[in-house]
Amino acid sequence: MKDPAMSGDTWLTQQVQLLEAAFHRVQDEQMAEMALANPALTVEAVGFHRYQGRPFGALLSPWFLNLILLPGEGEDWERLPERSEQHWALPAGIYLFHVCRAAGIGTFQACSMMSPVERVEDQDTFRMMAEAVLRSVCRPSGHSRRAVLTGRFDDEGH
């Protein structure tokens, strides 16, 4: 995935920075002492790019790995009911996203790929997992989410 900062897409870079900052606050203020949080991990946005005009990528946190979709420029998602569900067509298939809100970023949509993440050993491994997930959803594939995360495929590649 292209790094938005490298592509010169200032608006996309700003949206990703707001997302990371919002979740760093959650990590510091709400999740730091929770048993669910893996102390070896931190918040990080990975692989964000524009998908159908909207910021799309993976968000890592000490408690989850989610695909994230943010509203496009000029798009208003504030009327979407929080916790409602929307299906989005990605190249690999249809994925269920939940409407979420967070201070500092507003309304966004998230699709859980992995939670909890207590068995992930370090941030580099976590980032590689996120990159693998993004590759799998951004191109047509018959691989299951579990197969992508574990690297285990049957004889037919599933």
Side-chain angles (χ1 to χ4, degrees):
M1 300 296 145
K2 282 186 178 178
D3 178 352
M6 300 302 288
S7 69
D9 191 336
T10 304
W11 177 81
L12 177 61
T13 300
Q14 290 171 343
Q15 297 307 300
V16 173
Q17 289 171 341
L18 289 171
L19 177 69
E20 277 189 332
F23 276 87
H24 274 293
R25 279 191 299 280
V26 171
Q27 178 181 359
D28 294 343
E29 297 170 7
Q30 299 170 21
M31 298 300 289
E33 301 301 319
M34 300 291 245
L36 177 66
N38 181 336
L41 306 176
T42 191
V43 170
E44 182 180 352
V46 175
F48 272 81
H49 61 284
R50 288 185 190 242
Y51 179 72
Q52 297 179 348
R54 298 176 184 95
F56 173 75
L59 182 65
L60 310 179
S61 84
W63 59 99
F64 67 69
L65 163 56
N66 285 352
L67 296 177
I68 300 291
L69 191 61
L70 299 169
E73 288 182 87
E75 219 174 4
D76 183 7
W77 287 359
E78 295 306 311
R79 290 192 175 114
L80 296 174
E82 192 169 7
R83 294 188 213 101
S84 64
E85 299 175 343
Q86 291 199 317
H87 291 88
W88 287 93
L90 299 174
I94 306 296
Y95 287 78
L96 178 66
F97 283 74
H98 291 88
V99 176
C100 306
R101 289 194 176 74
I105 191 66
T107 302
F108 63 97
Q109 295 186 37
C111 176
S112 179
M113 293 283 107
M114 185 179 188
S115 180
V117 293
E118 63 208 16
R119 294 188 180 171
V120 179
E121 293 181 17
D122 58 58
Q123 192 72 18
D124 289 338
T125 301
F126 202 23
R127 186 179 312 107
M128 287 188 295
M129 292 169 72
E131 290 167 349
V133 167
L134 285 169
R135 281 191 304 274
S136 76
V137 302
C138 289
R139 67 174 178 228
S141 168
H143 298 249
S144 72
R145 188 181 308 174
R146 180 177 304 276
V148 169
L149 288 170
T150 63
R152 294 185 186 133
F153 305 97
D154 64 22
D155 292 338
E156 312 215 341
H158 296 90

